[in-house]
Amino acid sequence: MMGDGDVYHVPVLLKQSVDGLVTDPDGVYVDATFGGGGHSREIVSRLGGNGHLYGFDQDQDTMKNIIEDPRFTFVYSNFRYMRNFMRWYGHDKVNGILADLGVSWHHFDDSSRGFSFRFDGPIDMRMNQKEGMTAADVLNGYPEEKLASLFYLYGELQNGRQLAQAIGRKRQNTRIETVSMLMDTVRPVIGREREKKEMAKVFQALRMEVNHEVDALREMLLSTVDLLVPDGRLVVITYHSIEDRMVKNLIKSGNIEGEVMTDFYGNRLIPFRQVCKPVLPDFQEQERNPRSRSAKLRIASKV
């Protein structure tokens, strides 16, 4: 577990994202991915006396990072329920929503959570450890066809079928319960020369399935269309093509599919305008924080 001197998470594109988010110091804002609280602390520092920030997270560990400030409220929930909770707190509209979709260092560095192949331990991968299936449940319970599909869709692995078959053979004799057991099972399919890169994709695919990340992101993004005030800001940091495509399509069309709708007169119904081109971390940030290298920041304003 995390020690007293450990860093929970180093926020990515901190200044650029908060610069794009906070347009009214006395507005109401949402940090949909509170995590270590790095982005939230910067947002609160920009708020006036009447401003307020709501930070969402479904991981109980993040409660250690709660900000002691009357302008901050922690919401222990998945961000897919953001709109319902904001109404509960009396806000039909907010001025800005930020989401950093990356996994915290804390998760990768905690061997008991099973998010990383750097440590052996139980292969859990649940963000909310109080409910839902573990990655071990997925590996041992899903039909091979379903496993192959999630490896292809969420891990973008061309050898998903072979990976699923290897897992199917292994689990006939014993239940796959640990990181090392999974790695030993799929290593012959992956090959030593590309092991690190493809193993990361295997773990990514399982994590996304266990936490229903695509469905949750879809619901959260669609809720921003109604939740943001005119000129309110949507600020999202993505790390892989699946989630970035969803965000890009929402900004382009107001839906996840990217299909631009028109009214009776043929006018395009687009609820957002892109504020700037996608922002990437500079060389210095990539050197300081290697996990930022795949990050991409998109900023949009509600029309």
Side-chain angles (χ1 to χ4, degrees):
M1 296 295 291
M2 184 175 61
D4 293 339
D6 295 329
V7 176
Y8 190 101
H9 182 64
V10 177
V12 173
L13 292 162
L14 177 62
K15 183 178 186 302
Q16 300 94 320
S17 59
V18 179
D19 283 350
L21 178 74
V22 180
T23 56
D24 178 2
D26 290 320
V28 176
Y29 296 90
V30 172
D31 181 350
T33 50
F34 176 70
H39 286 102
S40 283
R41 287 183 178 82
E42 181 63 24
I43 294 167
V44 170
S45 75
R46 310 279 188 97
L47 298 181
N50 295 319
H52 204 87
L53 173 67
Y54 293 85
F56 282 72
D57 211 293
Q58 64 179 325
D59 187 344
Q60 192 172 18
D61 284 355
T62 62
M63 293 182 180
K64 303 171 184 176
N65 307 316
I66 289 177
I67 301 167
E68 299 297 334
D69 190 294
R71 297 168 297 175
F72 176 78
T73 299
F74 179 80
V75 184
Y76 179 40
S77 173
N78 189 303
F79 61 29
R80 72 194 307 168
Y81 306 118
M82 178 174 63
R83 179 164 49 182
N84 291 341
F85 272 98
M86 294 315 298
R87 287 175 177 170
W88 170 262
Y89 284 106
H91 302 289
D92 289 326
K93 300 286 184 180
V94 300
N95 297 81
I97 298 166
L98 179 145
D100 177 357
L101 302 179
V103 180
S104 294
W105 283 14
H106 167 65
H107 293 121
F108 285 122
D109 291 341
D110 186 346
S111 60
S112 70
R113 304 292 293 269
F115 283 98
S116 173
F117 54 85
R118 292 185 296 128
F119 311 105
D120 194 18
I123 188 159
D124 190 314
M125 294 195 186
R126 290 173 299 170
M127 290 292 183
N128 183 348
Q129 291 188 292
K130 292 185 176 182
E131 61 182 32
M133 293 190 304
T134 67
D137 294 330
V138 170
L139 289 166
N140 293 284
Y142 276 21
E144 287 184 20
E145 191 65 31
K146 192 171 182 180
L147 281 175
S149 178
L150 76 90
F151 287 137
Y152 178 75
L153 291 174
Y154 295 161
E156 300 177 310
L157 288 156
Q158 300 300 317
N159 56 352
R161 188 174 299 277
Q162 291 91 336
L163 290 167
Q165 289 171 347
I167 290 167
R169 289 191 297 270
K170 177 69 173 181
R171 70 191 188 188
Q172 287 178 359
N173 301 314
T174 183
R175 182 176 166 87
I176 302 171
E177 293 278 10
T178 66
V179 170
S180 61
M181 290 177 71
L182 173 59
M183 292 181 67
D184 290 343
T185 301
V186 301
R187 186 175 281 118
V189 179
I190 289 176
R192 188 174 298 277
E193 69 281 357
R194 60 184 189 278
E195 178 176 315
K196 186 175 181 180
K197 185 174 182 180
E198 294 209 3
M199 200 70 78
K201 291 182 177 181
V202 169
F203 276 65
Q204 171 185 294
L206 288 169
R207 189 201 76 227
M208 292 178 69
E209 177 68 12
V210 166
N211 296 289
H212 309 289
E213 291 184 21
V214 170
D215 290 339
L217 180 58
R218 176 188 296 272
E219 291 179 33
M220 187 276 285
L221 289 175
L222 291 175
S223 73
T224 66
V225 177
D226 294 326
L227 195 51
L228 284 166
V229 300
D231 295 326
R233 293 293 178 87
L234 175 63
V235 177
V236 186
I237 304 170
T238 65
Y239 293 82
H240 59 76
S241 59
I242 299 169
E243 59 194 19
D244 186 63
R245 190 180 308 116
M246 294 171 70
V247 176
K248 180 181 178 180
N249 284 345
L250 180 84
I251 295 172
K252 169 188 171 184
S253 64
N255 58 67
I256 303 303
E257 294 70 31
E259 300 175 2
V260 177
M261 309 299 288
T262 59
D263 63 15
F264 179 79
Y265 301 100
N267 299 310
R268 291 157 58 92
L269 301 174
I270 303 176
F272 292 103
R273 64 173 179 83
Q274 185 171 279
V275 171
C276 59
K277 293 181 179 179
V279 179
L280 306 178
D282 59 24
F283 176 77
Q284 287 76 16
E285 179 166 8
Q286 292 184 41
E287 287 295 298
R288 291 194 309 270
N289 183 3
R291 289 188 178 130
S292 73
R293 291 172 185 171
S294 59
K296 182 181 292 185
L297 169 66
R298 294 187 183 273
I299 304 173
S301 179
K302 178 73 184 300
V303 174

